[in-house]
Amino acid sequence: MELPLTFSPADFKGKKVAAVILPDGREIAASTWRKAVVTILQDCDADPVGHEQMMALREKVWGRQRVLLSASPEGMDAPLRINDEMYLEGRLDIETLFDVLTKKILKYTGYDCDSVHLKIIDPALAPKLNELEQDDGGGMRMSF
């Protein structure tokens, strides 16, 4: 299924990401939530205005006890590299990670969050999809 980035981050819990669809329509494979976040931030960083805004946010985006967007990976538990001078703390649960991404970073960059979509796999639906892919006796197969 495909969900917008602006969807409630709580609803991403228990699901897996497969790809990110960026505002320009490019689809980038992402096997983890962290890779999805890095892909989105690097896309924002590729725009000169987005880059400037994100660079200005370094050392100003904080969690409860530590900086979450920094010029250096030092002091981070799981630094995610956005560029050579920008790192995001990646040791956050999915909900917090996406709240930081959308509400503490992208909100201030002018990045078009409404046009970003995530291709999601719901493991709870996988057995049902596998059943549909099985031969129905008539030689027809359905796959998603």
Side-chain angles (χ1 to χ4, degrees):
M1 72 180 124
E2 212 176 279
L3 297 174
L5 177 62
T6 53
F7 204 71
S8 170
D11 292 326
F12 294 148
K13 287 184 177 182
K15 296 173 179 67
K16 296 182 180 202
V17 65
V20 177
I21 301 169
L22 298 170
D24 63 6
R26 285 180 295 142
E27 185 173 317
I28 310 292
S31 58
T32 67
W33 289 110
R34 289 177 180 166
K35 287 180 184 177
V37 168
V38 169
T39 297
I40 295 164
L41 287 173
Q42 286 178 337
D43 188 57
C44 179
D45 187 53
D47 174 69
V49 173
H51 172 78
E52 185 178 320
Q53 295 295 330
M54 286 175 56
M55 294 298 272
L57 288 171
R58 292 177 308 167
E59 317 310 329
K60 295 177 183 160
V61 177
W62 281 79
R64 289 187 185 132
Q65 300 175 357
R66 62 181 183 256
V67 69
L68 300 177
L69 187 67
S70 180
S72 165
E74 292 176 30
M76 292 187 173
D77 291 333
L80 304 175
R81 183 186 170 281
I82 310 308
N83 66 38
D84 288 339
E85 300 174 340
M86 189 180 329
Y87 296 83
L88 177 71
E89 174 60 73
R91 189 169 185 175
L92 303 167
D93 64 67
I94 292 171
E95 189 172 357
T96 304
L97 186 62
F98 277 86
D99 276 341
V100 168
L101 173 69
T102 57
K103 296 175 183 172
K104 291 188 174 186
I105 300 174
L106 296 179
K107 176 181 177 180
Y108 299 102
T109 65
Y111 189 75
D112 185 9
C113 291
D114 293 330
S115 296
V116 176
H117 289 81
L118 301 163
K119 283 200 171 180
I120 306 296
I121 300 167
D122 188 344
L125 296 177
K128 293 176 185 174
L129 293 176
N130 286 337
E131 286 176 24
L132 290 173
E133 289 181 348
Q134 300 301 317
D135 191 332
D136 68 358
M140 297 192 60
R141 295 181 64 140
M142 295 179 68
S143 62
F144 296 82

